[in-house]
């Protein structure tokens, strides 16, 4: 099996490259060479997906049984169209890592694989779309929907779309789980969002990687919501962070209305917390039937802490700084409760 990974040096792309090599596959990666290091054993090709000459050079480099695209999150649809069009005759299959943000109903509504998508042309530039007053839909969602359309126009039924919500695990660069782990380890009273019994559905990066590889080796096209079918309650998530870090912290469970009243930013200042009813109501039945297997999230918490304790260093990314409430703001809110 000859695999091309768009990306491949950090987080999901790196896990995909390592796991593909472990399966005995031949792996080529296409990166700019600016973030992370190459996985030992891959055949690295340098280039920028927004540069026509670089993309054409990649197309002339070889042929592959499949491509897994992990690097389109910051690309406009027209840039995805450039790559997918250039490679359509060079690859047999395209697995595209997308997002649940492509759905018109996210995060307000329960989602299935057949829920309505946002509308965005395949050749749209980075200005297309908008972010709603309440934070949804997002311009990011429009852009990713356009990226899916670009791949679909180029590859038709040879394309597979994976739509995860939140991906956690060793190597995470966004900083959601690392923030909770560090906050638990710090100790003292800390804010936690009620209700503690609400279930969340993040998935482990290693499980997403294996599912993507299985789809790369498959034959059917289509789309899959990639969410943890069982999930974990927020209380068990926080307790897990306390247990693996040995932290002496005491969560102060606070009602959503109280947190909103104090201006706590959902999704970022308390990572993974959002009041919208559909944010953690994603049906992954089709993916599970196709072979998605999700490890218990307590294992993800444990292994991520082990990675951080072993001097784990994510690539520098601006989203890391967005996550976590400032200690001064948290202390002020706790004092008022």
């Amino acid at each position: 099996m000859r695999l091309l990974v768009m990306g491949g040096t950090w987080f999901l792309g790196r896990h995909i490259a390592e796991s593909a090599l472990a399966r005995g596959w031949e792996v080529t990666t296409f990166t700019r060479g600016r973030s992370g290091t190459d996985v030992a054993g891959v055949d690295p090709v340098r280039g920028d997906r927004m540069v026509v000459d670089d993309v054409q050079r990649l197309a002339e480099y070889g042929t592959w049984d499949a491509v897994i695209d992990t690097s389109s999150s910051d690309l406009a649809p027209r840039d995805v169209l450039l790559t997918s069009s250039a490679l359509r005759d060079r690859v047999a299959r395209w697995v595209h890592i997308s997002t649940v943000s492509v759905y018109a109903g996210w995060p307000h509504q329960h989602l299935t694989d057949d829920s309505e998508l946002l509308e965005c042309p395949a050749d749209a530039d980075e200005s297309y779309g908008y972010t709603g007053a309440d934070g949804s839909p997002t311009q990011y969602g429009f852009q990713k929907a356009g990226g899916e359309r670009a791949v679909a126009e180029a590859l038709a039924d040879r394309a597979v779309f994976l739509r995860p919500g939140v991906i956690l695990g060793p190597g995470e660069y966004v900083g959601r789980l690392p923030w909770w782990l560090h906050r638990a380890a710090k100790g003292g009273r800390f804010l936690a969002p009620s209700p503690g019994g609400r279930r969340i559905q993040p998935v482990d990066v290693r499980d997403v990687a294996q599912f993507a590889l299985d789809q790369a080796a498959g034959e059917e096209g289509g789309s899959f919501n990639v969410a943890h079918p069982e999930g974990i309650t927020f209380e068990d998530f926080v307790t897990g962070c306390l247990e693996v870090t040995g932290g002496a912290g005491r969560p102060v469970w606070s009602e959503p209305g109280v947190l909103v009243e104090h201006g706590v930013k959902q999704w970022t200042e308390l990572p993974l917390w959002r009041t919208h009813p559909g944010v953690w109501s994603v049906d992954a039945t089709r993916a599970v039937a196709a072979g998605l297997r999700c490890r218990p999230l307590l294992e993800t918490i444990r292994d991520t802490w082990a990675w951080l304790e072993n001097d784990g260093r994510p690539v520098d990314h601006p989203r890391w700084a967005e996550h976590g409430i400032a200690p001064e703001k948290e202390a002020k809110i706790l004092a008022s409760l």
Side-chain angles (χ1 to χ4, degrees):
M1 182 79 174
R2 301 189 70 241
L3 177 69
L4 170 63
V5 181
M6 308 298 287
T9 58
W10 45 287
F11 201 40
L12 178 57
R14 189 173 193 88
H15 282 287
I16 286 172
E18 291 173 342
S19 297
L21 290 170
R23 294 187 181 200
W25 295 6
E26 297 178 27
V27 180
T28 304
T29 57
F30 184 66
T31 71
R32 293 177 299 178
R34 299 178 186 175
S35 302
T37 57
D38 295 317
V39 173
V42 305
D43 182 12
V45 178
R46 297 284 182 254
D48 191 321
R49 294 185 60 174
M50 293 186 288
V51 177
V52 174
D53 288 346
D54 288 359
V55 173
Q56 187 57 44
R57 180 166 47 82
L58 174 65
E60 295 169 355
Y61 190 81
T63 59
W64 296 273
D65 298 302
V67 56
I68 301 179
D69 185 1
T70 71
S71 68
S72 67
S73 61
D74 296 324
L75 295 180
R78 66 180 181 184
D79 298 317
V80 179
L81 184 62
L82 168 65
T83 312
S84 55
S85 297
L87 294 176
R88 78 174 87 202
D89 296 326
R90 312 299 289 173
V91 300
R93 191 166 174 79
W94 189 292
V95 178
H96 192 73
I97 308 300
S98 185
T99 170
V100 292
S101 295
V102 299
Y103 288 113
W106 191 87
H108 299 282
Q109 301 170 8
H110 173 70
L111 297 177
T112 71
D113 294 284
D114 300 316
S115 294
E116 179 186 359
L117 301 180
L118 295 169
E119 288 290 333
C120 180
D123 59 353
D125 64 18
E126 62 278 359
S127 67
Y128 191 92
Y130 64 92
T131 296
D134 69 343
S136 63
T138 62
Q139 186 174 37
Y140 171 75
F142 281 104
Q143 293 278 308
K144 292 291 280 183
E148 285 196 15
R149 177 167 289 186
V151 174
E153 287 190 4
L155 279 296
D157 59 1
R158 293 184 288 142
V160 180
F161 302 100
L162 306 188
R163 297 171 182 152
V166 171
I167 303 176
L168 304 177
E172 185 195 336
Y173 65 92
V174 176
R176 296 183 176 107
L177 177 51
W179 183 84
W180 279 108
L181 286 164
H182 287 307
R183 185 62 191 89
K186 181 180 177 181
R189 299 168 73 229
F190 64 93
L191 287 173
S194 293
R198 187 181 187 188
R199 302 193 80 82
I200 59 177
Q201 297 177 279
V203 287
D204 191 290
V205 62
R206 295 163 293 185
D207 298 329
V208 180
Q210 293 297 336
F211 187 60
L213 291 171
D214 290 344
Q215 291 306 306
E219 297 179 353
E220 300 296 325
S223 63
F224 299 93
N225 291 336
V226 183
H228 202 293
E230 290 85 31
I232 188 173
T233 66
F234 223 115
E235 183 175 8
D236 285 345
F237 174 83
V238 170
T239 300
C241 290
L242 287 166
E243 289 178 350
V244 302
T245 62
R250 288 192 300 115
V252 178
W253 294 95
S254 306
E255 293 297 325
V258 173
L259 296 173
V260 171
E261 180 182 346
H262 283 88
V264 178
K265 295 178 183 177
Q266 299 187 41
W267 210 234
T268 53
E269 286 194 311
L270 287 182
L272 306 178
W273 168 64
R274 199 165 183 173
T275 58
H276 302 78
V279 66
W280 297 118
S281 183
V282 180
D283 184 353
T285 301
R286 185 186 295 174
V288 171
L292 173 66
R293 297 293 178 267
C294 292
R295 70 196 67 204
L297 282 161
L298 290 175
E299 182 178 330
T300 305
I301 293 170
R302 181 197 67 204
D303 292 350
T304 302
W305 181 245
W307 166 69
L308 290 168
E309 285 281 88
N310 195 34
D311 200 29
R313 297 178 183 274
V315 298
D316 291 331
H317 197 281
R319 295 184 68 185
W320 185 280
E322 297 175 357
H323 290 85
I325 189 169
E328 300 80 10
K329 182 175 182 177
E330 182 185 42
K332 183 177 180 180
I333 296 172
L334 288 169
S336 71
L337 298 177

